[in-house]
Amino acid sequence: MRIAIKTQLSYAIPAPCSLLLQIEAAEGPHQTVETSDLNVSSAVEWNIINGDDGVGQRRWGSFTDMFDCTYIATVRVDRPAVTLDALAAIPITALPADVTPYLMPSRYCHPEAFFTFVPMQFGEAKGGVLVTQMADWIGTHFTYDNAASTAATTATDSFHAMAGVCRDYAHVLIAMARSVGIPARMASVYAPDVTPQDFHAVVEVYLDGAWHLIDPTGMAQPDQMVMIGVGRDAADVSFMTSYGQMDLLMQEVQVSGLP
């Protein structure tokens, strides 16, 4: 499937500040960036660095007065549809070094808060079956509510509120998966059926020796997701992190499927 992306960001900057930007589609084994164009309104000397685990790239830049940015891309996604129920969990003693950190607590995801709940709620389910059941449970019991969380809301907070946005749904699934020894991380993606359209947060779980995407909101399917980057949680994979004040003027994301 081919996906068209257009992202526009506009911020006022009261005093000079630096920012870390990650909005460009990643090149990877299951997606090919056919066209890509990033334009900003003022001259900037970017310092381009790899994203976490080598997925995608980030840009360091410094700005004064305004940050106006437009990103337009066309991406071909060839990710096969995989049934998670058929995938087994890897014993934690056999996990590779680059996967092991995704079992650990992180800023927003504290697996110890779910040690009791997950086995009590899901019984003897394991591996991909368990991940699917947990994602379905979150999607059924949570209310999608833009006012239910802030930048400080953790997975534990969202679990108690039973509400939030995509990052909150993802944080809860990540924390639940880690609590039973399944490595999980957040993925930032574009997807055509996300409502309202925005940068979308989903989950990758490590099963049968590979990472697999799943969206607990149910709005995006893996074979239609355009990966941007990955991280332990939202702190690692924010589309933009500013080191100084930036005041939002406009932000718009448009994603659509192409023939």
Side-chain angles (χ1 to χ4, degrees):
M1 183 176 188
R2 296 173 69 240
I3 306 290
I5 301 161
K6 183 177 182 180
T7 297
Q8 295 176 283
L9 305 173
S10 182
Y11 287 79
I13 300 176
C17 85
S18 298
L19 61 86
L20 183 62
L21 187 70
Q22 188 170 15
I23 64 172
E24 295 162 90
E27 287 282 2
H30 300 302
Q31 62 185 50
T32 302
V33 180
E34 296 180 339
T35 64
S36 179
D37 187 28
L38 180 75
N39 283 303
V40 293
S41 59
S42 54
V44 58
E45 184 174 341
W46 292 112
N47 174 23
I48 301 175
I49 61 175
N50 289 333
D52 282 6
D53 287 348
V55 179
Q57 65 180 24
R58 293 170 170 166
R59 294 172 178 260
W60 278 112
S62 296
F63 292 86
T64 58
D65 299 327
M66 289 289 297
F67 174 66
D68 284 309
C69 171
T70 301
Y71 171 63
I72 299 174
T74 303
V75 182
R76 180 176 296 278
V77 179
D78 298 308
R79 186 176 298 106
V82 175
T83 302
L84 293 189
D85 289 3
L87 303 179
I90 300 295
I92 58 174
T93 54
L95 291 173
D98 60 337
V99 175
T100 298
Y102 296 106
L103 277 180
M104 309 302 180
S106 56
R107 177 175 174 181
Y108 293 109
C109 301
H110 305 113
E112 63 274 12
F114 298 90
F115 284 164
T116 300
F117 173 79
V118 171
M120 180 178 67
Q121 179 67 37
F122 302 103
E124 298 298 318
K126 298 184 183 301
V129 171
L130 175 57
V131 171
T132 300
Q133 289 182 3
M134 292 188 296
D136 289 346
W137 186 92
I138 294 166
T140 299
H141 288 81
F142 275 49
T143 299
Y144 200 93
D145 183 355
N146 287 313
S149 62
T150 70
T153 301
T154 68
T156 311
D157 298 329
S158 298
F159 177 74
H160 290 305
M162 292 290 180
V165 294
C166 60
R167 57 166 264 165
D168 305 306
Y169 283 59
H171 282 158
V172 174
L173 181 56
I174 290 167
M176 285 185 175
R178 291 178 186 171
S179 77
V180 289
I182 298 174
R185 65 189 184 185
M186 179 172 282
S188 175
V189 305
Y190 294 109
D193 294 328
V194 172
T195 305
Q197 272 291 347
D198 206 341
F199 302 102
H200 193 49
V202 299
V203 177
E204 276 197 310
V205 290
Y206 192 77
L207 297 167
D208 262 1
W211 289 105
H212 300 277
L213 289 160
I214 184 168
D215 180 8
T217 73
M219 290 192 287
Q221 298 304 313
D223 58 355
Q224 297 181 358
M225 296 180 192
V226 175
M227 295 272 289
I228 302 171
V230 299
R232 293 168 298 173
D233 57 30
D236 291 343
V237 74
S238 171
F239 74 91
M240 185 168 64
T241 303
S242 64
Y243 293 82
Q245 182 179 345
M246 298 180 68
D247 299 324
L248 174 64
L249 300 177
M250 187 272 287
Q251 177 177 311
E252 184 175 356
V253 175
Q254 300 175 36
V255 185
S256 58
L258 296 173

